[in-house]
Amino acid sequence: MPETEMKCQLVEELSAFVEAAAAVASSTKAVNPGHRHAFHWPPPSPSYRYHLPRDAWSGSATFTAYGEEFQVEVAETRYGVFGRCHATWHEARGKDLSEMLKNLKNTAEPLFKRQLTIAQTLGRPDKFTGSLCQLEPLDLVKLLYCPDRDVANDAHIEIETHASWHIFGPALIWIIQDRKHPQRRSAQWCVLDLFEDLASFCDTPDLRDDAVSAIHDLIWDAEDDYCRTIFKAGVVLGGHVPTEIGGPVLLQCLHAPSKIGRRSAIHGLFHVVEWEATMRPQVAQALAECASIESDPLLKDFAEHMARDIAAGNYEHIQEPTFPEELVH
């Protein structure tokens, strides 16, 4: 399939995926997915600690989980009963066979939960037991919306390794423009992290301009900063997009109706002047003017301090404020 056609198909199918998710959601407001919890598998091997010889694994048993039967190799020793399951790639120990199987099933739960979450996100009926590297581009893009942020992060890493395919750009821009999927903040954070190398995904001036425009709009009307996504948008424009592009956009965003967006712009402008010192007077003046009309006292103080830091050529800046309503999340 030609590259242009693949790009269009990816956007169309992603749009249908998001529309379907929005249709069954109780609201189109973004939800807070919480912090990312890194998934590490397999867990530590108990048999390794006890140095069991190979011939100790002479027994067999099974356990059942989620309607599936799993084969288990068993080793009965003076240290207890050990079991290992090759399908789940992990082990457990117990004082007897029953306790070992119970422990083996319970310790497999994080893996099962992850496999089920991936399958549910992709609309598949069974657990996903493969590798993300085996997935098609559309499935990788869908997984950016996975409620498990670690899965979304792994999908974003996989997309990054295939940037040379040059097919993801329009779909990633579409995600930044998304205002319907409840899990969009995590997906948008992943896209913004990819857009720190914008040229790898948006390899034409038109695509780059579309991406910058989408980031501007994300900042402009932000209702929340779940996953620190809006904050990240300011960092991308200020620190990773050429100064003559990102700087003017952030100056515009100082007047965004969203106070979350204005906070992002104020911080992002510090990165602009890190890269382009000749913009210090312009940015410092704009921040001072922003502070003079800012209605939120926290942002007013933030803009005033940032203006002084930039004017003085400081390499550090005041910490961005946290709004009272954000403290409850």
Side-chain angles (χ1 to χ4, degrees):
M1 183 184 297
E3 182 180 302
T4 301
E5 189 175 339
M6 288 183 67
K7 289 178 179 178
C8 293
Q9 182 177 343
L10 202 55
V11 171
E12 289 173 3
E13 294 181 349
L14 176 63
S15 175
F17 165 78
V18 169
E19 289 291 342
V24 299
S26 58
S27 169
T28 57
K29 282 188 173 293
V31 300
N32 185 359
H35 296 292
R36 176 193 162 206
H37 300 285
F39 179 77
H40 300 290
W41 198 265
S45 167
S47 70
Y48 179 80
R49 297 200 305 271
Y50 288 89
H51 306 290
L52 297 192
R54 184 177 302 176
D55 59 6
W57 301 94
S58 57
S60 64
T62 63
F63 74 92
T64 302
Y66 297 96
E68 183 178 353
E69 186 175 82
F70 293 87
Q71 299 297 317
V72 180
E73 292 185 351
V74 178
E76 296 187 16
T77 76
R78 61 193 177 95
Y79 306 112
V81 179
F82 294 78
R84 65 185 180 190
C85 179
H86 290 288
T88 56
W89 204 260
H90 85 299
E91 297 181 359
R93 180 173 73 101
K95 65 179 183 293
D96 54 29
L97 180 65
S98 176
E99 183 179 85
M100 179 275 290
L101 290 174
K102 179 181 178 182
N103 291 340
L104 193 65
K105 180 178 178 178
N106 289 342
T107 52
E109 192 60 28
L111 175 65
F112 292 148
K113 183 178 179 181
R114 179 181 172 93
Q115 292 173 337
L116 286 166
T117 300
I118 292 173
Q120 289 165 0
T121 302
L122 298 179
R124 299 186 179 186
D126 301 315
K127 298 194 305 296
F128 176 79
T129 58
S131 170
L132 296 194
C133 67
Q134 300 168 328
L135 292 175
E136 296 295 321
L138 176 62
D139 285 338
L140 290 174
V141 173
K142 285 181 178 179
L143 284 183
L144 297 180
Y145 286 95
C146 185
D148 183 332
R149 287 190 65 186
D150 191 64
V151 172
N153 182 69
D154 285 350
H156 123 269
I157 292 173
E158 195 65 34
I159 291 170
E160 186 174 32
T161 65
H162 294 98
S164 60
W165 289 354
H166 300 299
I167 61 170
F168 290 105
L172 298 180
I173 293 170
W174 196 94
I175 290 174
I176 296 295
Q177 296 170 327
D178 178 17
R179 300 294 185 271
K180 291 184 178 181
H181 198 295
Q183 297 290 346
R184 61 185 176 272
R185 286 293 181 251
S186 176
Q188 289 167 343
W189 188 96
C190 289
V191 172
L192 289 165
D193 198 59
L194 294 171
F195 279 179
E196 288 188 356
D197 184 14
L198 186 61
S200 291
F201 295 94
C202 300
D203 54 348
T204 67
D206 287 346
L207 270 181
R208 182 206 64 195
D209 291 346
D210 288 346
V212 170
S213 177
I215 298 171
H216 166 277
D217 293 347
L218 182 69
I219 293 173
W220 192 260
D221 60 8
E223 296 179 342
D224 59 77
D225 203 9
Y226 299 150
C227 305
R228 299 270 279 172
T229 296
I230 311 306
F231 179 86
K232 179 82 166 178
V235 171
V236 170
L237 288 180
H240 299 277
V241 175
T243 306
E244 67 273 11
I245 300 170
V249 172
L250 287 174
L251 288 172
Q252 293 175 18
C253 289
L254 290 177
H255 305 285
S258 164
K259 67 178 183 179
I260 292 169
R262 297 197 298 277
R263 178 178 62 187
S264 173
I266 293 168
H267 174 263
L269 284 165
F270 190 88
H271 294 294
V272 170
V273 299
E274 284 182 310
W275 290 102
E276 186 52 72
T278 60
M279 290 188 67
R280 283 186 181 276
Q282 178 188 1
V283 171
Q285 181 179 349
L287 287 169
E289 293 173 354
C290 169
S292 70
I293 60 173
E294 176 57 60
S295 58
D296 184 273
L298 291 175
L299 281 187
K300 183 180 184 69
D301 184 66
F302 184 39
E304 288 174 345
H305 277 82
M306 192 69 84
R308 289 198 293 269
D309 286 340
I310 288 175
N314 292 338
Y315 289 96
E316 300 292 337
H317 61 79
I318 183 176
Q319 183 72 24
E320 68 280 355
T322 299
F323 299 119
E325 61 272 20
E326 294 177 316
L327 296 174
V328 300
H329 292 293

